[in-house]
Structures are given as structure tokens and as C-alpha cells.
């Protein structure tokens, strides 16, 4: 556990749903003369410290961008490593997350994923389904555009089957077809890069964007808390004057 003192923030100002782009693993490794894979390995501790910090401060949902639909463009060696690493992280951390009351959910396409990866994700979902302390959305083979396309196709199919009338389609109804239906309050990206990279496009329509110049393996719960302090100081108007 961290010895850093958690900031005192009005509970009403704590974001319910935080999205995290875990960026900077490669640069962290390069700066130390290590292979890129070492950066990903170091990032595991960062993620789970952030999970613990989210629970401490009262965040109810955390979405982590673990592997994007665009990451298949990386070298075959790195893709192979990331497939095995994502599988092994879930397997290694599952009991710990279950004990902490974390509900694990998988967002993304099965498609090209290794069967062993989908098996671990599905096992985690089943084991933790009734947990209520924090929902951790593991976004593996996920892309915001593909999620919207998949949701639109599923909705169209339901309309064709007359399970829903076209005039009954609303933003709220459409969101129910997404992998992650809840809106993002705080969108946090590490490494200093300032873009959202096709992550939770629909859900982040009114998210507060916070970009921090710290590489992901160096992120800890204090980083999350700093982002939440920035979030809490902003005036969220949702289009109002």
C-alpha cells in the first residue's frame, strides 16, 4: 500500500467511471536500455496500484486499454508477447481481484484473440460477476469505432427481428448495445501524449480529459488521485451556460 496521503475531495466530485490509456511502456523500456516487453511487464504493477487507489478514493468503474484493434500492426514478436502477457496477468491477478471485490468485465472483439486469452477473460467474468466494489473493464482487442459498428449492427438486427421499433431508438437505448454502456467521467492518459486513440469514443462524449507527463510503468495511485483532483476542480456544464 502507498504511504502517500489520499487527497480530501468532496465525494460528489469523485468520478464514477475513469478510463485509462496506459501509454509509455516502450519509451520507459528504451530509456533504460531494455526491450519493449520489459515496459509492459513493469506496467502490470502500475495498473494494480491504480486499481487499489481507485477503490480507496471511491471510483466505481475503471476501464483499462490493454490491447487495441490497432495493436495488431505491431511486430509479430510484440503481439505474441502481449497476447500471452494479457492472459497471464488475468490468470495471475484473478484471485487477488476477486478478494478485493473487483468485478472484471471484458470489452472487445473475440476475432483474432488467442483462445487462451478469451478463456481467461470469460473465467474472470464468471468468477467475479457478483462483486460490487469496483468494475474493471479490461479492453482487449478493443476499438471505439469497431464497438460502435458492432452495436449498430446488433441494433439493426433487433429492429429487423421486430424486437425494437426504430422510433424507440434513443442514445440511452443505443448505449445498451455497447460493450461498456456507462459514460466516462474522467479520461486519463499517461506519457504526455494528448489524444484519445480510438478509446471509448461514445462513452467519452462529455468526459474530462487529463493528460499527465508520466510514463505508464511509473504511474501509481497518486497519479490517479492527481488526475481526480484536476477533474474535481473543473466545472462540468454538459452544454449548459
Amino acid at each position: 500500500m502507498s504511504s502517500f496521503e489520499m487527497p480530501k475531495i468532496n465525494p460528489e466530485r469523485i468520478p464514477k467511471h475513469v478510463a485509462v490509456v496506459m501509454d509509455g511502456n516502450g519509451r520507459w523500456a528504451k530509456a533504460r536500455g531494455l526491450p519493449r516487453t520489459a515496459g509492459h511487464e513493469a506496467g502490470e504493477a502500475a495498473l494494480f496500484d491504480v486499481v487499489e487507489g481507485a477503490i480507496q478514493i471511491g471510483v466505481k468503474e475503471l476501464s483499462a486499454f490493454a490491447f487495441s484493434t490497432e495493436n495488431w500492426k505491431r511486430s509479430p514478436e510484440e503481439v505474441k508477447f502481449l497476447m500471452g502477457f494479457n492472459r497471464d496477468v488475468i490468470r495471475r491477478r484473478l484471485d487477488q481481484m476477486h478478494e478485493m471485490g473487483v468485478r472484471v468485465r471484458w470489452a472487445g472483439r473475440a476475432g483474432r484473440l488467442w483462445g487462451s486469452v478469451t478463456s481467461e477473460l470469460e473465467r474472470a467474468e464468471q468468477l467475479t460477476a457478483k462483486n460490487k466494489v469496483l468494475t474493471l473493464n479490461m479492453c482487449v482487442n478493443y476499438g471505439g469505432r469497431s464497438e460502435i459498428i458492432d452495436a449498430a449492427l446488433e441494433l439493426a438486427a433487433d429492429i429487423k427481428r421486430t424486437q425494437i421499433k426504430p422510433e424507440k431508438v434513443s442514445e440511452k437505448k443505443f448505449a445498451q448495445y455497447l460493450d461498456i454502456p456507462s459514460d466516462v467521467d474522467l479520461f486519463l492518459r499517461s506519457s504526455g501524449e494528448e489524444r484519445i486513440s480510438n478509446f471509448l469514443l461514445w462513452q467519452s462524449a462529455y468526459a474530462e480529459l487529463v493528460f499527465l507527463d508520466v510514463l505508464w510503468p511509473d504511474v501509481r495511485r497518486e497519479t490517479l488521485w492527481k488526475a481526480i483532483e484536476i477533474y474535481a476542480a473543473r466545472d462540468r456544464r454538459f452544454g449548459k451556460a
Side-chain angles (χ1 to χ4, degrees), residues 115-145:
S116 59
V117 177
T118 58
S119 294
E120 287 299 327
L121 287 163
E122 289 168 353
R123 186 170 75 93
E125 286 188 320
Q126 292 168 5
L127 178 64
T128 65
K130 295 182 180 180
N131 292 345
K132 299 183 183 302
V133 175
L134 173 78
T135 295
L136 174 62
N137 299 313
M138 292 294 293
C139 301
V140 185
N141 199 26
Y142 173 90
R145 288 179 174 179

Side-chain angles (χ1 to χ4, degrees), residues 175-187:
Q176 294 172 3
Y177 286 82
L178 297 169
D179 290 344
I180 300 173
S182 59
D183 286 344
V184 170
D185 299 304
L186 168 61
F187 187 109

Side-chain angles (χ1 to χ4, degrees), residues 68-80:
S68 78
T69 49
E70 288 72 41
N71 285 157
W72 296 103
K73 299 174 185 177
R74 297 187 177 185
S75 71
E77 294 76 20
E78 186 171 1
V79 168
K80 181 178 179 180

